[in-house]
Amino acid sequence: MLRFVVRRFIYSIPVLIAVSIIVFVLMQTAGDPLSRLRNDPRISRSDVIRLEKKMGLDKPLHIQYFNWAFKFAKGDWGESFTAHRPVLEIIAEKLPATLTLMGISFIISAILAIIIGVYSALKQYSFFDYAATTFSFFGYAMPIFWLALILQLVFGYYLWKWTGIRFVYTAGMSSVGMEGSIIDRIQHLILPIATLSFAQIAQWSRYQRSSMLDVLGADYLRTARAKGLPERTVILKHALKNALIPVVTIMAIDLAYLFSGAVIVETVFSWPGMGKLFHDAVVQFNYPVVMATMMISAVLVIFFNMVSDIINKYLDPRIKYD
Amino acid sequence: MLKDIKKIVGFFTALFIALILIINVGCKAKEEPTKSATEKPTSGGTLVFGYEQEPETLNPFILGGDLAPTGDVANLILPKFFIVTPDFKYEPSLLAEIPTEENGGIKKNPLAITYKLKKEAKWSDGKPITSEDVKFTWETIMNKKWEIVTQSGYDLIKKIDTPDAQTVVVTFESNYASWRDLWSGTYYVLPKHALEKADLNKIWNSKITISGGPFSFKQWKAGDSISLVRNENYWGKKAYLNSIVFKYIPDTNTALAQFKAGEVDMIYPTPDIDLLNQLQATEGAQVLSGAGTQFEQIGFNMKNPILKNKKVREAIAYAIDRKAITEQVMKGNVKPLHSIIVPEQSRYYVPAWEKYTKNIEKAKKLLKESGLKNISLTISTTAGNAARERIEQIIQANLKEIGIDLKIKNTDPATFFDSWLTDGTFDIGEWGFMATPDPSGQIITFSGEQMPPDGLNNFFYSNDKVTKLADEQDIELDENKRAEKIKEIQEILAEDLPTIPMFQRITFIAFGSKVKGPKLNPTIEGSTWNAAEWWIKQ
């Protein structure tokens, strides 16, 4: 096991370096952070040249990359070009909001997906199963942007207009002046979490359903029933445990995206998270922020892939890693 | 076990809904509005302003702070020499009077302007705003240590003398016509005593520590909102509102939903005709709209062998139906624009392009005279902009009528501006201009000395007379002579046709029925320019 982890770790280093080089080169060739200034008639060429020199943007590409890489390795992630604050500080600001949103979504989606998937499999071809399947296809096909706006309009605006009672808020993390209220927080969380969970549940419940169906046909379940075990124990103790394995491994990989946020949901619901941070930084060609966020994502994806493999091996003794 | 889980979930959901009902129904009784007979401004209240883009930094002098999000906040906190009114007039704010030759404020050869500051002007900590602060601001802008956005104009200053606390004498190296924009617009007067030992790249990124305006900075909740409170020590007319909260809502649809739901009191969204109509139809909403300072125009690439031919450009000018385009895209909210100067810049405006109305016969005749047949061209603009794409389609249909085959080829904004326009790899382009109170920027673009990549003459147009006049107007201090030169430039441009102006975009603000006082200001001053006059009807 230790050898496995160490080997993975060593393999990941060239991958990370390659990712950083590719992202760096792509960003530089796509545009530069001063382009907005170049197109402003009030700002002269000499102003732009002066700023280029000051920000080190006039140096050749590879020199800029090595400057960034050496500093990054030492823990200095640089400063945002536009906010003039350390990138670490900015990320630390946005991370809690993202983790709250993505984390709660993840947990709710996981629980509901497993329940729906298992129940669908147990009562295959029942009304519940057909309903769940239709719901899943909807979830896959639905554009998140549209879903977010519809939920916002229907539950945030119309529901309030018809009943006069505010059940949920349209956007933001809290209301002005009510930052301490838990109820207020929950009211703001409901719509974005519903939007995110919709697609997530649709996807995971399908995996769970098919995995459960596979397991339900197995011989060892017949043996368990023959032994005289109650149906409940057969399903929950023997079948479910095995059916969960593939689903859990997929969920472990998706854990990596907990930190990346979801830019569309964050934009529509004015949720100040990592997704929007990354998107804005790309649009502004704010290299320090883009590079730092990409590196975090890459590290997390590699790490959680490894975790997922380990969990898989732990749950299913048939799998061997050397 | 499944049943147990269902019971527990059901219980909590019911509890949650019950709590909300109790809280909201209980509070509802207090929300009944009381009728007030008078319209006299009352002090008090908080205004929640739904704003689209969050500032990157609160320092308007450094890179990242040059955009409207920073300016709209800084405008309420920092003092400046002039404020531009909605009709493009420079009104003295920090200055006691406008410097003129008559009152000895302007001396020529060399150019030296004497500014007199208001005696009562002071910072929120009680210290007076003095000439030392003005001089310090100039030194800060020219300081190489800071990532200052622009030094334009300030780099022409030779020296600044401060004979007394209210008098500043600025001597220039050469004549500079746009001097009214100094210590105004997007720049302000900085407090020397608060900043002289500070690191300007860092100090005002997250907060502005002092105030010289009607409001003071209170708090910035990253990603959520910025709160300002009334500056009780303001030297001018005190604000009515207790506080203003800028709530950041990046998505326009969300902003509309929040405005309708009453979660925000005021919005200033990216202008869009459909949105304007929706707002005007919203119950209880007050909407102010008007022609903005951004306008659309068609630009010809004069390097193109076909477009080099003046008759071709004239033919196109008489084929395009500017009236129909304006009506279809702007739905009657504005009229066609007849110059690269907007009518609001009344001193300099002449409708030189007025004669170009759709006249297919004339257009066909001119095209014949050009000697070119079977012309095929492309028109380009920024992709994803529905209004611009509509303009292209109408022009395509117009040109078909005179036998020109026009293809549409668009790309993303970065490529369009940084590559196509700069390299001249386009035929006809459609892009926007911005009109500023001082028209220098709009005029200089057509100078032969402003060729890309150093300049913004994306038309690759060169006319020696225009170049000469553009240089002259930049240093002409006599207002009337300068206006003459600018008008002459417009006449020449309308003949040479490197560009065909289309129409001004609209700008609008919307606020709830209880809000009073906001006035639309399309200039750089922005939507918060008179926030000290806003009040909420209790």
Side-chain angles (χ1 to χ4, degrees), chain B residues 10 54 143 157 161 175 177 179 192 199 231 261 351 359 394 459 515:
Chain B
E54 196 182 8
N143 191 330
I157 296 178
D161 295 305
N175 282 344
W179 58 269
K192 179 172 179 178
D199 179 346
N231 177 5
N359 186 332
I394 300 176
F459 313 93
V515 180

Side-chain angles (χ1 to χ4, degrees), chain A residues 23-308:
Chain A
V23 174
F24 193 83
V25 169
L26 278 177
M27 285 246 67
Q28 291 275 5
T29 46
D32 83 290
L34 296 178
S35 66
R36 180 188 71 232
L37 298 185
R38 282 185 224 278
N39 292 313
D40 188 333
R42 294 168 300 161
I43 297 175
S44 65
R45 176 94 180 133
S46 55
D47 284 321
V48 176
I49 295 176
R50 174 177 49 85
L51 282 168
E52 261 180 351
K53 268 184 92 171
K54 192 118 184 62
M55 290 158 61
L57 292 171
D58 56 337
K59 298 203 175 58
L61 211 63
H62 56 281
I63 303 272
Q64 284 191 50
Y65 174 74
F66 283 125
N67 281 338
W68 172 83
F70 285 142
K71 283 210 203 131
F72 194 79
K74 281 191 289 183
D76 174 9
W77 288 8
E79 268 187 11
S80 156
F81 282 160
T82 48
H84 307 269
R85 284 187 301 142
V87 176
L88 257 173
E89 195 183 294
I90 297 176
I91 291 182
E93 256 174 25
K94 310 272 183 199
L95 210 47
T98 300
L99 288 177
T100 315
L101 185 66
M102 305 298 285
I104 298 182
S105 262
F106 187 91
I107 295 173
I108 293 182
S109 302
I111 295 176
L112 284 178
I114 293 176
I115 295 176
I116 292 176
V118 165
Y119 207 67
S120 284
L122 289 177
K123 305 265 189 266
Q124 201 182 12
Y125 305 134
S126 70
F127 175 74
F128 180 88
D129 185 27
Y130 282 128
T133 307
T134 312
F135 159 83
S136 288
F137 287 144
F138 252 158
Y140 269 117
M142 192 86 71
I144 279 206
F145 183 88
W146 184 84
L147 176 65
L149 287 173
I150 291 291
L151 286 180
Q152 198 177 53
L153 214 53
V154 170
F155 291 100
Y157 175 55
Y158 284 117
L159 190 59
W160 167 76
K161 200 156 172 244
W162 294 331
T163 61
I165 302 169
R166 247 191 239 292
F167 284 100
V168 294
Y169 283 97
T170 50
M173 286 176 62
S174 59
S175 308
V176 172
M178 287 180 70
E179 284 79 12
S181 159
I182 295 278
I183 298 272
D184 185 70
R185 285 282 171 147
I186 296 180
Q187 281 178 297
H188 278 97
L189 272 168
I190 292 183
L191 288 184
I193 288 184
T195 314
L196 281 172
S197 305
F198 203 78
Q200 197 72 295
I201 294 175
Q203 186 187 30
W204 286 342
S205 64
R206 297 309 293 169
Y207 289 137
Q208 180 63 78
R209 179 182 181 274
S210 76
S211 162
M212 190 71 180
L213 283 175
D214 279 345
V215 161
L216 283 175
D219 278 345
Y220 60 87
L221 287 189
R222 269 212 301 170
T223 315
R225 286 194 192 102
K227 278 201 314 190
L229 288 175
E231 186 66 15
R232 196 179 170 153
T233 317
V234 171
I235 301 290
L236 292 179
K237 185 151 175 263
H238 294 284
L240 183 59
K241 192 167 143 211
N242 291 320
L244 277 179
I245 297 175
V247 181
V248 166
T249 43
I250 291 175
M251 286 184 183
I253 296 178
D254 280 345
L255 265 177
Y257 300 110
L258 228 61
F259 293 80
S260 322
V263 59
I264 292 178
V265 167
E266 285 174 19
T267 303
V268 173
F269 292 106
S270 308
W271 201 268
M274 295 290 292
K276 181 125 203 314
L277 174 70
F278 180 65
H279 170 262
D280 287 347
V282 169
V283 166
Q284 292 165 349
F285 298 103
N286 197 345
Y287 306 138
V289 178
V290 174
M291 296 301 293
T293 328
M294 283 302 299
M295 294 310 289
I296 294 179
S297 268
V299 165
L300 289 175
V301 167
I302 292 178
F303 176 72
F304 279 106
N305 263 285
M306 186 175 70
V307 163
S308 165

